[in-house]
Amino acid sequence: MTIRWGLVGVGDIANKRVAAAIQSDPNSELVAVCRRSEPQLDQFADQFGVPHRFTNADDLIASPNLDAVYIATPVDCHCPQTIAAARAGKHVLVEKPMALNPAECDQMISACDQAGVSLGVAYYRRFYPVVLRIQQLIEAKQLGRILSIGCVTGNPNRFPADDWRVIRSRGGGGPLMDIGSHRLDVFLQLLGDVATVKASVIDSPDYEAEQAATLLVQFNSGAHGILQCYFGTVETPDRLEIIGTEGRITVEDLNHGDLMLSTSEGQQLESHPPADNLHAPLISDFTAAVLEHRSPTISGPVGKRTNDLIRLAYEDAQ
């Protein structure tokens, strides 16, 4: 069986990776796309050879020729579009962050459960070989008792005030929602549940959302997590470091996958690059989950955990 996909929102991420990831998956077929701007829709559909084109998301979702919908729209659209897709009997894979808040996440999970369709969230870094290698080293106690995990990340874009990513009612926040969510998901993957969250944000003089956020997370294990994320910074790294009583892991760029393991025995450099298309393992896992009647790796409840953390962070910062 082949999963017939519709793609709602054919902006930057869809053009860069999502469409190609669906088309490269042997169990998938991209049959429909949606964008409000008809010229941009036609350009995208022509580029990827997609036969069915819609300027209204509801029309695509209602199409009987689809099995699954990938939602790549602004965050405020995720909840209503997911619920509509579920009611239409479509499986849903939604971009991160899952929704504006945990309450919307609950509505999405409930709608998909009631409809008997799968719900996944696009935290594709869970499939990075370097992240899976770190998880293996932690579980094997190679670092001893974990004391801390830290990440610094940024987006160099200088967003205008009318960009949805910096309008709270549309994106939910600034860098914490947009890029910080990916790293918090990795925190949860590697170190498990969180007990408390402390946060501080720096407001932007140019737009509504914050421009920088720093989080101090305490895990149930007692370990600490520190996340720093920024919009509009130059040459900001995508750095991950984990420190334990018996060793340290440093990854200077998660998207490259080079890992330095430092222990009492010395330093060891390993290379674990991601897939050429970062979304490909995500699509592959989701389609396999649908065909095998199992939950996708990043299910709705898994994706909601990051929204729970972000809500606690914003509440503390206020």
Side-chain angles (χ1 to χ4, degrees):
M1 178 182 172
T2 299
I3 303 299
R4 299 167 300 173
W5 285 88
L7 176 53
V8 180
V10 291
D12 185 55
I13 196 66
N15 186 63
K16 281 183 177 178
R17 295 199 292 262
V18 178
I22 292 172
Q23 291 183 327
S24 67
D25 179 59
N27 296 318
S28 296
E29 181 183 4
L30 182 58
V31 300
V33 291
C34 175
R35 184 164 187 163
R36 284 178 297 180
S37 167
E38 194 163 358
Q40 291 174 309
L41 171 67
D42 287 337
Q43 181 182 9
F44 184 94
D46 289 344
Q47 177 184 346
F48 289 97
V50 184
H52 301 292
R53 308 168 187 200
F54 299 87
T55 55
N56 184 288
D58 290 337
D59 293 338
L60 179 146
I61 288 168
S63 171
N65 302 316
L66 300 179
D67 306 301
V69 176
Y70 192 109
I71 295 174
T73 49
V75 183
D76 63 316
C77 299
H78 291 182
C79 181
Q81 289 174 348
T82 294
I83 292 172
R87 289 174 177 169
K90 310 296 195 294
H91 304 286
V92 181
L93 181 53
V94 63
E95 260 301 327
K96 60 79 208 164
M98 182 175 169
L100 290 174
N101 53 59
E104 287 192 347
C105 295
D106 285 332
Q107 294 174 43
M108 295 159 70
I109 293 167
S110 177
C112 290
D113 285 347
Q114 290 176 16
V117 297
S118 296
L119 173 61
V121 186
Y123 286 120
Y124 56 81
R125 280 176 172 79
R126 284 195 176 236
F127 299 103
Y128 278 16
V130 69
V131 174
L132 296 173
R133 173 59 173 156
I134 292 169
Q135 189 171 18
Q136 180 186 53
L137 289 166
I138 291 172
E139 291 172 354
K141 307 295 184 184
Q142 292 292 299
L143 305 180
R145 181 166 58 90
I146 303 302
L147 301 177
S148 70
I149 182 171
C151 188
V152 181
T153 188
N155 184 327
N157 286 336
R158 308 292 171 94
F159 294 110
D162 61 352
D163 191 292
W164 66 264
R165 292 170 185 81
V166 293
I167 299 173
R168 292 191 182 280
S169 63
R170 303 220 63 202
L176 178 54
M177 283 288 279
D178 187 56
I179 53 178
S181 59
H182 261 307
R183 283 76 190 174
L184 290 177
D185 178 70
V186 170
F187 280 17
L188 291 166
Q189 177 184 2
L190 294 176
L191 295 189
D193 291 334
V194 166
T196 62
V197 181
K198 297 292 184 182
S200 180
V201 301
I202 299 174
D203 293 334
S204 168
D206 302 315
Y207 45 74
E208 185 179 88
E210 84 277 0
Q211 185 168 10
T214 300
L215 272 62
L216 174 60
V217 175
Q218 182 161 5
F219 296 90
N220 287 348
S221 65
H224 287 175
I226 300 172
L227 170 68
Q228 295 172 288
C229 49
Y230 309 90
F231 273 171
T233 51
V234 177
E235 294 297 325
T236 308
D238 190 6
R239 190 172 193 272
L240 178 70
E241 184 172 54
I242 301 173
I243 296 175
T245 56
E246 304 301 326
R248 173 169 53 93
I249 288 172
T250 305
V251 180
E252 292 296 341
D253 190 332
L254 269 177
N255 283 342
H256 289 168
D258 290 339
L259 177 155
M260 179 65 75
L261 173 62
S262 303
T263 67
S264 59
E265 298 177 359
Q267 291 189 320
Q268 176 179 318
L269 180 63
E270 302 178 6
S271 182
H272 304 282
D276 290 338
N277 185 322
L278 303 180
H279 275 68
L282 173 80
I283 297 295
S284 178
D285 174 80
F286 187 85
T287 54
V290 171
L291 295 173
E292 296 166 9
H293 305 288
R294 64 169 174 84
S295 178
T297 297
I298 306 104
S299 63
V302 171
K304 177 181 181 287
R305 293 169 69 204
T306 295
N307 270 94
D308 290 337
L309 273 187
I310 292 172
R311 178 182 61 84
L312 292 173
Y314 280 135
E315 288 178 352
D316 186 77
Q318 292 171 0

